[in-house]
Each structure stands twice: as C-alpha cells, then as structure tokens.
Amino acid sequence: MSHLIDTHTHLFVEEFDDERDAVVARALEAGVKHLCLPCINASSVAAINSMCDKYPGVCHPMIGLHPTDVADDYKEQLDCLYSLLQQDERYIAVGEVGLDFYWDTTYSNQQVEAFEQQISWAREANLPLVIHSRKAFNELYRVMDGHRGSMLSGIFHCFSGTVEEAEALLTFPGFMLGIGGALTYKKSTLPTVLAGAVPLNRIVLETDSPYLAPVPHRGRRNESAYVVEVVKALASIYGMSYDEVAAITTANAMQVFNKIS
C-alpha cells in the first residue's frame, strides 16, 4: 500500500495527552508515514519539538504564529519564533500562518503585518508556507498577490472555498490545497468544487486533528490514521484507485516539504 502524509496535525495538543503514542502507532499502521506539526505560538514549540525528538523521521516541525494568536504581544512572539527558526535546521515550513477574521477583527491589521513578516521568513529561509485563511479570502489574496514571482511555495490549509476561490489560489504555482475531513461531510460543496476546478496534482492530504474528523468518525476526536477516509473520498471524486490517489498526494506533499526525505 502507498504511503500517506498527514500534512497538518496538532498531535502535540492536550486532547492527545492520554494516548499520543497510540495515535502515532495507529497512523503508521494505516500507512501514514509522515506527520507534519504546525506551530501555533511560541509556547507550542517545546511540545512540538518533544514529539519530533521522540519520533524522528515521522514527526516534522513547523514554526509560525497562528493568526488567532496575534495579540498585544505579537511582536515579541515573532521575535522569539524567528530566533528559533534560525537555530534549528529541522523546521520543514513556516506555519501555521495567515489571516483569520472569523471570531474577531480587533487585530486584523496586526495579523496582516505578522503574515507579511512570516512570508519574509519563508523567502529568506527558502521554506514553504502553511497558510490558514478564514473569512479573509480577499485580504489573503491581496497579500499573496504582492509576492507573485517570488518562488514562494506551500499549502493553503483546510481549503473549503468556491470554484472561483480555488481557481484564484491555483494561480500561485508553488501552492497546493490542503484537503481534509470536511470533504466527506454530507453538505460539503468541496466534492463539486474539486471535480470542477482542482486537478489532483494540486492536492495534499491533511487531518487538522484533533478537529474536523471525517465520516464515519465525525463528532469524535480526529487523528492522523483517519486521513485514509479522505483518500477514499478523493478516489471516488477523481475516478482513481486508492493507491493512485495516495501516490499522487504523497508526491505533492514531498514536493512542498522537500526537507522530508
């Protein structure tokens, strides 16, 4: 069976404290050979690093400030994260970064500023970006448009937009769309959007675990092993076999995360 990559799992959070090792074991058993861990803020770094120390070659760290964690201290957070990025060769990406105006727009200008700064880190360190966007598509597109031609690459994480949004994001040639459990939901428009606008060679798999568990696990804590349900859904949409989808999405992820060997 082809290997899979979960390009986005928060395996280091407290929801997994009771059985983190078992979750990794189940992922490996399901064929998920690489688990990519996005950073939320400076205080997530220790937990992420400890997972990567324990599972070298399986767990891979990213570094970044999540947009919903942009607050009064965001400059100190960015300074701290930037110095960590410069000290550690293991980071496979700058992420999870971006814009989120869903809950609150108090810090919307600071979010844009933090995002711009972290894009500059990715350019300087030649790392991909893992981008979070919620209720901020136009602003996100405007920021990204300012970096066209800069050889940036990465993932638009947790994509759930329209055909028009998919087509707009795919004009950034180095980027993939991260697709997870939402694809399997009954009311999801994603199957139609993907079939109409997104070739499989622009898709990577993700869980965003512990969130967004796919059917038949919906409503429970998500975990990396469940990414197989996303593969099955994609196989059905694209009229391909499970192994073909696995091989293509893994190649896509390795293209983005070229530090994973």
Side-chain angles (χ1 to χ4, degrees):
M1 185 187 282
S2 301
H3 292 172
L4 305 174
I5 297 180
D6 183 354
T7 63
H8 203 106
T9 170
H10 299 276
L11 188 55
F12 53 93
V13 298
E14 61 188 11
E15 283 89 337
F16 293 109
D17 282 353
D18 56 339
E19 54 156 13
R20 199 168 273 113
D21 294 336
V23 169
V24 174
R26 286 195 290 271
L28 292 168
E29 200 177 322
V32 188
K33 300 301 185 196
H34 296 285
L35 309 174
C36 305
L37 309 181
C39 185
I40 302 302
N41 53 37
S43 59
S44 336
V45 171
I48 291 172
N49 286 350
S50 97
M51 286 297 306
C52 297
D53 290 340
K54 189 165 189 182
Y55 293 102
V58 175
C59 291
H60 306 276
M62 307 181 204
I63 190 111
L65 182 62
H66 192 288
T68 59
D69 274 63
V70 171
D72 288 337
D73 68 343
Y74 80 101
K75 287 185 175 170
E76 292 87 339
Q77 287 269 343
L78 290 171
D79 288 346
C80 172
L81 292 165
Y82 180 62
S83 69
L84 291 166
L85 170 61
Q86 292 182 304
Q87 291 159 28
D88 196 332
E89 283 287 299
R90 286 185 300 179
Y91 293 116
I92 60 163
V94 173
E96 167 180 0
V97 303
L99 303 174
D100 190 317
F101 302 157
Y102 180 78
W103 300 109
D104 187 3
T105 54
T106 309
Y107 293 100
S108 54
N109 292 336
Q110 292 89 337
Q111 281 191 32
V112 171
E113 194 184 315
F115 185 33
E116 285 279 15
Q117 194 167 329
Q118 292 175 100
I119 290 173
S120 74
W121 299 356
R123 292 178 65 166
E124 181 189 321
N126 197 23
L127 287 175
L129 286 159
V130 172
I131 297 175
H132 170 109
S133 171
R134 196 171 186 198
K135 287 276 180 286
F137 183 84
N138 292 336
E139 296 86 348
L140 181 96
Y141 186 85
R142 194 157 46 243
V143 170
M144 291 298 294
D145 206 33
H147 295 275
R148 268 193 201 281
S150 63
M151 304 298 291
L152 280 175
S153 65
I155 296 168
F156 293 108
H157 149 64
C158 208
F159 176 77
S160 60
T162 62
V163 164
E164 294 71 28
E165 288 170 347
E167 287 172 342
L169 294 179
L170 292 178
T171 65
F172 298 102
F175 281 80
M176 305 285 172
L177 304 185
I179 302 296
L183 180 67
T184 66
Y185 299 167
K186 201 169 169 184
K187 292 184 174 169
S188 174
T189 55
L190 260 180
T192 314
V193 171
L194 295 186
V198 184
L200 190 62
N201 67 1
R202 300 297 296 276
I203 289 175
V204 295
L205 308 173
E206 60 171 55
T207 57
D208 203 19
S209 56
Y211 319 108
L212 299 171
V215 174
H217 308 285
R218 193 173 184 186
R220 283 177 269 163
R221 183 192 68 189
N222 199 4
E223 60 178 76
S224 292
Y226 299 166
V227 82
V228 298
E229 303 301 336
V230 182
V231 180
K232 291 175 192 170
L234 289 169
S236 160
I237 290 164
Y238 289 98
M240 290 182 178
S241 71
Y242 181 99
D243 281 346
E244 285 172 315
V245 170
I248 292 167
T249 54
T250 293
N252 295 345
M254 297 292 268
Q255 187 184 321
V256 173
F257 296 136
N258 55 22
K259 285 177 83 168
I260 298 179
S261 50

